[in-house]
Amino acid sequence: MSLTLALEVGWGTTMAIKTLVVLMIIPLGALILGYTFLLKMMSHMQSRLGPMDPGGFHGWFQLIGDGMKFIQKEDLMPDGADRKVMAGAPAVVLISTFLVFLVIPMGPDLVVKDLDVGVFYALAVSSLSVIGVLMAGWASANKYALLGALRAAGQLIAYELPLLLAVVGVVMQAGTMSLQGIVYAQRDGSIFGVDWIGNPFILTQFIGFLLFLIAAQAELTQTPFDMPVAESELVAGYMVEYTGFRFLFFFMGEFGTAFAFAAIAATLFLGGWSVPWVHGDMANLLGPFVLFAKLMFVAFLMFWARFTYPRLREDQLQAFAWKVLIPIGLLNLLVTAVFKVGF
Amino acid sequence: MSTTETPAGVPSFELDRNALRHLADAQINVELDTGDMILNLGPQHPATHGTLRLVVRLDGERVLAADPVIGYMHRGYEKLTEVRTYPQITTLINRIDWLSSFANEVPFINAAEKLMGIEAPPRATYIRTILTELSRISTFILFLGEMGLQVGALTPAFYGFRDREHVLNLIEGATGGRFHPNFNRIGGLKDDLPWGWVSETRSVMKMMLDSCDQFEDLVAGNEIFHARTKGIGVIPGDIGTAYGVSGSNIRASGVDWDLRRDGEPYLAYPDLDFKVWTHADGDSFARYWVRLQETRESVRMVLQLLDGLPSGPVMAKVPRIIKVPEGEAWVETENPLGQMGYYVVSKGATGPFRCKIRSASFSNVSILPWLLRGVYVPDVVTILASLYFILGDIDR
Amino acid sequence: MARKKLPGMIGGLGITLKTMLKPAVTVQYPHEKEEPVTRARGVIALKEENCTVCMLCARSCPDWCIYIEGHKEKRPPRREGGRDRTVSVLDRFDIDYALCMYCGICVEVCPFDALFWSPEFEYSEHSIAKLLHDKVKLGEWMETVPEPEPLEIGAEPPKKKK
């Protein structure tokens, strides 16, 4: 089934619309993820209701109200803090999240720029947030913030590798690094001749999917890998000196990155915006919603693990990454390569 | 002080007390490149269950020495008891260990009854035992959830509070107060049980068993929890008894000692058939596991007691104004936190002359300087959670 | 125990999922309210006609939060030719709920059954001074005092008090 819509828009309008979408996606995504999973899903998993009053209907206004509260707070910085670096750190974290959305496709034509090295670019740019974390820790003029930031940076860097290994398996199967190409490979592919569900890589790359989920969990410093953030039990985490809207940026950055990683996982493993038998302009209309649904499923898995498990100690966390996840990732790569060459 | 082998690379147990005291009160201003750092887990802290202050000396990630500073919640109980009458003291001592408040009243009332030579009627003894075991269940269910919280899992804490509500409703139905029953009187109990309480208790006990299974699946069976608690904070049995650690903590180190079975017989425990759970490891996981099994054992005890509940009065014949004759009495009981004892000295007045309270958590916390040497900083939280002390019990 | 077949981490996920699908246990106070039990110690009510100003409750309160003032009055004799009676009249009976520990000793020691427990608990005020309930307010609480509930099987029937 295909619809044809002819819309003549100039380059400028397209650019404006794309910029607007990317700018709005982080706050909206953070809001939706925060409300659904952090406020409501966590509450119901804990046998309680979560916010019910703000906004009247099941407390939908709670996060927006929190955002407004943060914005009107005083902009405090510690005495010895490096003001420019401290102000820049949340910006770096947020910008790295925005940049990821430039390559995520929401439909056959709905992508800001379909780079040939899409996946490589996405992973590279999302790891820029490590710099933001280190900046935050260093500029805070607080020894404990620095220690927390160093720990967080160590964790983030360690878990880049399993993330990468999980993604390389998908790239090998799809034959291309471009995200649009990976989606097409899943929609138009077939599993040993059966093609009515396409070839979603989650079926063949299930180890890769698990690896990606675990590594993404660690990249987002979510339980069970949230020692840098929950370190604020004992030693203050890297965000300790941040209040007001700078803290809001960190918070939005965290949930925005969760949104981004869930989108990438949905694109790489579940087929992104594609439904196998829908082509053409219908795909452009349905694409964002399909991607959103798949993304929410992946986010559900990530947050489900977050609210169930206790946290690992820092050394156990590092040992897990280096001694368990990376060997499994390499093995997965080997098996994928064998299958790709053999079949 | 006996010392066993210290972990490698960690200085011996001798604390330089002057250095710690001086630095602890000063600003925390540390140079990063010299080795040791003083960290103050201050009185206000989510990990320390109340106003416990722990001054630790760190070398990077490892604790070199730890010094607990207590007294931030001292309320002067022993002085208060000197100017109160026995019913008034019963009200106050509910608040020593506020999570299992009925259990605090029992040794005191037993001591007073010993001095007066009165014995409570059997129905009162049985109901007292039921309520003590119910408060044990309520505080242990909270522990099972809250230790998960300290280790990082958010959900078990809520389950702990949710399931504890049922037991608190039972206690409220019988005594009128959820947390502070104030139900014991010299000679028996204030009131009898309301209609339907026994069948309600039976159904709640079934819920508690389900809750224990849930905690076992969610927390005790979790591999991450094992990685965080197994081998952490090992208390050898002899060191523990030397420091006076009691209750589930010492049973988790393999020492088979339970005052309900081994001490002076009190309440209805001689009539009951129950098992005392021990674990050989002595680490934080063992303490969690022992309390989990003890919760189930308490449920079985309550069901036995309900089956055998005798009928009759709940109050013995006592004079209107109670004047306890001269004498001294020491009664020690197995409270949920450990061994609690009261030494009541009476000079024949309506209130005691002096009442010394031996609280369990005070001795449990005394092992912290020995225990926390050489552990990692996140493990300090795990160990504190597994020892399960209540600040009101330490400071009184 | 042979109940567990799955590794503990998967079982944990199952529990949180099951709890998520069950309704929450929250009671949305103040839109919904739970009924407290009959014996719940909410507030103390005063039956003024029974009080003889014996001061036992004020003396036995651990916090000394009951303030009583009374005076003696002469009443005419009950029968012809008898002596004048002296009756204690209650002037002031205040309970300071900011201090009250809700222990119930006053209710218990009253020899004339003038004090009763009521499960009413919603009497928070914006100013602490209003937490001092005078005898008029305490008399109003009498309407909320429930009937004593029947006792469990095996209990001795309560003695009838005069």
Side-chain angles (χ1 to χ4, degrees), chain C residues 129-147:
Chain C
K130 294 220 189 79
L131 281 180
L132 184 78
H133 290 199
D134 59 359
K135 63 176 177 160
V136 175
K137 188 132 189 222
L138 292 174
E140 285 167 20
W141 290 127
M142 277 306 295
E143 288 149 18
T144 57
V145 173
E147 287 293 317

Side-chain angles (χ1 to χ4, degrees), chain B residues 84 87-88 91 95 159 172 174-176 180-182 185 192-198 214 217 221 223 311-312 320, chain C residues 1 4 8-9 12 15 19 37 39-41 60-62 64 101 103 105 108-109 149-156:
Chain B
R84 296 276 191 281
Q88 292 174 337
T91 306
R95 289 146 167 92
Y159 295 167
E172 193 188 18
T175 70
H180 302 305
N182 188 23
R185 300 283 179 268
D192 209 317
L193 303 169
W195 175 256
W197 197 85
V198 171
Q214 205 177 49
D217 280 338
E223 280 79 14
S311 17
R320 187 146 195 143
Chain C
M1 10 176 84
K4 289 199 296 279
M9 292 179 58
I15 291 188
T19 317
V37 292
R39 284 193 192 174
R41 301 200 282 257
S60 60
C61 175
W64 309 294
M101 278 165 74
C103 63
I105 296 184
E108 217 183 314
V109 299
E149 50 187 350
L151 294 178
E152 183 60 281
I153 308 170
E156 261 195 354

Side-chain angles (χ1 to χ4, degrees), chain B residues 44-358:
Chain B
Q44 286 138 340
H45 203 283
T48 58
H49 299 247
T51 55
L52 175 69
R53 179 177 171 203
L54 206 55
V55 183
V56 295
R57 187 151 52 108
L58 295 175
D59 170 25
E61 191 80 23
R62 288 194 146 223
V63 172
L64 294 177
D67 195 15
V69 180
I70 61 178
Y72 285 90
M73 201 190 266
H74 181 67
R75 295 168 283 176
Y77 266 95
E78 296 181 5
K79 187 67 191 172
L80 278 176
T81 56
E82 289 177 14
V83 288
R84 296 276 191 281
T85 62
Y86 287 90
Q88 292 174 337
I89 297 177
T90 317
T91 306
L92 287 176
I93 56 180
N94 273 165
R95 289 146 167 92
I96 293 183
D97 167 17
W98 50 75
L99 286 181
S100 58
S101 21
F102 189 85
N104 298 327
E105 302 175 18
V106 166
F108 177 72
I109 291 290
N110 279 359
E113 285 176 354
K114 206 162 152 183
L115 284 175
M116 283 193 76
I118 295 181
E119 231 188 76
R123 187 176 170 84
T125 324
Y126 267 67
I127 298 180
R128 274 183 190 169
T129 321
I130 295 176
L131 285 172
T132 309
E133 290 306 313
L134 280 181
S135 48
R136 193 185 310 265
I137 294 172
S138 103
T139 185
F140 279 174
I141 292 271
L142 184 61
F143 163 79
L144 296 176
E146 172 266 333
M147 178 147 176
L149 178 67
Q150 297 295 338
V151 176
L154 300 167
T155 2
F158 287 94
Y159 295 167
F161 278 109
R162 176 197 67 185
D163 297 329
R164 191 165 170 252
E165 281 298 305
H166 301 291
V167 179
L168 290 180
N169 284 343
L170 277 182
I171 299 184
E172 193 188 18
T175 70
R178 278 153 48 99
F179 269 68
H180 302 305
N182 188 23
F183 205 47
N184 274 314
R185 300 283 179 268
I186 297 187
L189 295 168
K190 178 167 166 250
D191 267 329
D192 209 317
L193 303 169
W195 175 256
W197 197 85
V198 171
S199 51
E200 214 181 305
T201 311
R202 279 190 222 272
S203 55
V204 168
M205 290 298 106
K206 240 182 276 306
M207 278 194 255
M208 290 299 110
L209 281 180
D210 290 335
S211 176
C212 285
D213 292 339
Q214 205 177 49
F215 280 116
E216 185 156 24
D217 280 338
L218 186 58
V219 187
N222 194 310
E223 280 79 14
I224 303 180
F225 187 74
H226 292 181
R228 281 300 295 276
T229 52
K230 285 204 168 152
I232 306 291
V234 177
I235 302 181
D238 52 342
I239 305 284
T241 35
Y243 274 97
V245 174
S246 56
S248 316
N249 299 321
I250 203 68
R251 284 195 282 278
S253 299
V255 176
D256 190 9
W257 175 254
D258 186 333
L259 277 183
R260 293 175 288 181
R261 184 195 59 192
D262 303 324
E264 279 221 13
Y266 71 101
L267 291 186
Y269 293 113
D271 299 340
L272 284 182
D273 174 31
F274 62 97
K275 179 173 159 121
V276 172
W277 292 88
T278 58
H279 197 285
D281 288 343
D283 55 14
S284 303
F285 182 76
R287 294 192 272 276
Y288 188 89
W289 186 89
V290 166
R291 288 196 177 95
L292 179 63
Q293 306 306 327
E294 282 185 0
T295 315
R296 293 192 170 121
E297 199 63 41
S298 289
V299 167
R300 280 180 222 124
M301 283 205 263
V302 169
L303 291 173
Q304 276 181 50
L305 287 163
L306 288 176
D307 287 335
L309 190 63
S311 17
V314 284
M315 192 70 172
K317 289 265 178 298
V318 285
R320 187 146 195 143
I321 308 280
I322 295 182
K323 281 198 157 73
V324 174
E326 273 194 45
E328 302 170 355
W330 162 249
V331 172
E332 209 177 16
T333 58
E334 182 77 23
N335 272 25
L337 293 179
Q339 284 177 214
M340 182 178 214
Y342 284 78
Y343 188 72
V344 179
V345 177
S346 164
K347 295 247 191 281
T350 50
F353 176 72
R354 167 90 172 97
C355 183
K356 155 83 183 131
I357 308 174
R358 190 267 185 207

Side-chain angles (χ1 to χ4, degrees), chain A residues 94-167:
Chain A
L94 211 53
I95 288 175
S96 80
T97 312
F98 276 120
L99 288 176
V100 173
F101 280 98
L102 292 182
V103 286
I104 296 184
M106 287 191 271
D109 306 314
L110 301 174
V111 60
V112 177
K113 181 71 182 167
D114 182 26
L115 293 172
D116 279 338
V117 289
V119 158
F120 178 70
Y121 164 83
L123 289 179
V125 133
S126 70
S127 55
L128 282 178
S129 58
V130 180
I131 302 181
V133 165
L134 281 170
M135 281 164 72
W138 181 262
S140 293
N142 184 335
K143 270 81 178 182
Y144 303 123
L146 180 59
L147 281 177
L150 289 173
R151 249 173 236 147
Q155 173 184 322
L156 293 175
I157 293 176
Y159 278 88
E160 296 276 343
L161 278 166
L163 201 66
L164 197 74
L165 288 172
V167 165

